[in-house]
Amino acid sequence: MPMKSLLAILMFLAFPIFALLAQENNTSGNPKVEVYYFHATMRCPTCLAIEEQTRKTLDENFGEELKAGSVKLVVMNLEEIENEALVKKFEIGWSSLILYVPESGKTVNLTEDAFANARSHPDEFRGELQKAIKELM
C-alpha cells in the first residue's frame, strides 16, 4: 500500500479520537465556568480584597483552565453603561461575585461569602471559591 494512502487512512481513523479529546478538554475556548466580579467606581478595601483574592484563587488553582478558556474571569464596573446588559441579567445592585455556567444557565452567588471573608479570612474565602468552581466544572 502506498505511503500516502496509509497516511490518509491513519488520519481518517485518528480524527474522531482527536475530536473527542478536544471536546473533553474544552479546547474550543468556550468557558465551562465564568466568574463575574461586579464592582462600583468607588471601591472599599473589602471590594479590592474580593478581586485580589478571586484572581489569586484562579491563578493558583485554575491556571491551566484559564489558559484553555474553560474558566473565565470577568471584572466589570457595574456603573458603566456598556455593562448594563450583564448587570440586568444577573440582577446586580451592588458589588457582587457570581459564578455562571453558560451551558446550563446555572448561577451561584458568592457575594455574601466574599464580603464576609475575602479581607478578614482570605484562606476561607479562597477555599469556598475553589470548591464552588470545582463543583460547577
Side-chain angles (χ1 to χ4, degrees):
M1 181 177 283
M3 185 60 100
K4 287 183 181 180
S5 297
L6 182 59
L7 185 59
I9 291 171
L10 286 174
M11 287 176 56
F12 178 76
L13 293 174
F15 180 75
I17 295 169
F18 290 123
L20 284 173
L21 288 173
Q23 187 175 22
E24 186 176 304
N25 291 326
N26 197 34
T27 56
S28 65
N30 295 330
K32 291 182 181 179
V33 179
E34 296 176 351
V35 180
Y36 286 93
Y37 176 55
F38 295 90
H39 63 81
T41 303
M42 298 290 290
R43 298 171 73 182
C44 68
T46 302
C47 292
L48 295 170
I50 293 169
E51 181 178 349
E52 176 186 351
Q53 294 303 322
T54 299
R55 285 186 186 280
K56 188 173 182 179
T57 302
L58 294 177
D59 289 343
E60 291 179 6
N61 299 287
F62 300 98
E64 291 300 315
E65 292 86 348
L66 285 169
K67 287 178 189 170
S70 59
V71 173
K72 177 181 170 184
L73 174 62
V74 180
V75 177
M76 63 177 53
N77 186 328
L78 63 94
E79 296 174 348
E80 293 177 355
I81 194 75
E82 63 264 20
N83 299 327
E84 184 177 6
L86 283 172
V87 168
K88 285 182 179 179
K89 176 180 179 172
F90 294 114
E91 301 176 355
I92 302 301
W94 65 312
S95 295
S96 301
L97 183 63
I98 307 291
L99 305 182
Y100 174 66
V101 180
E103 187 174 296
S104 67
K106 181 175 183 172
T107 61
V108 176
N109 189 331
L110 292 179
T111 304
E112 189 174 319
D113 184 56
F115 273 92
N117 296 309
R119 189 167 172 218
S120 57
H121 303 99
D123 290 338
E124 184 176 329
F125 165 69
R126 292 177 62 221
E128 288 300 315
L129 177 58
Q130 181 180 359
K131 178 181 169 190
I133 293 170
K134 283 184 177 182
E135 287 174 358
L136 293 173
M137 292 188 77

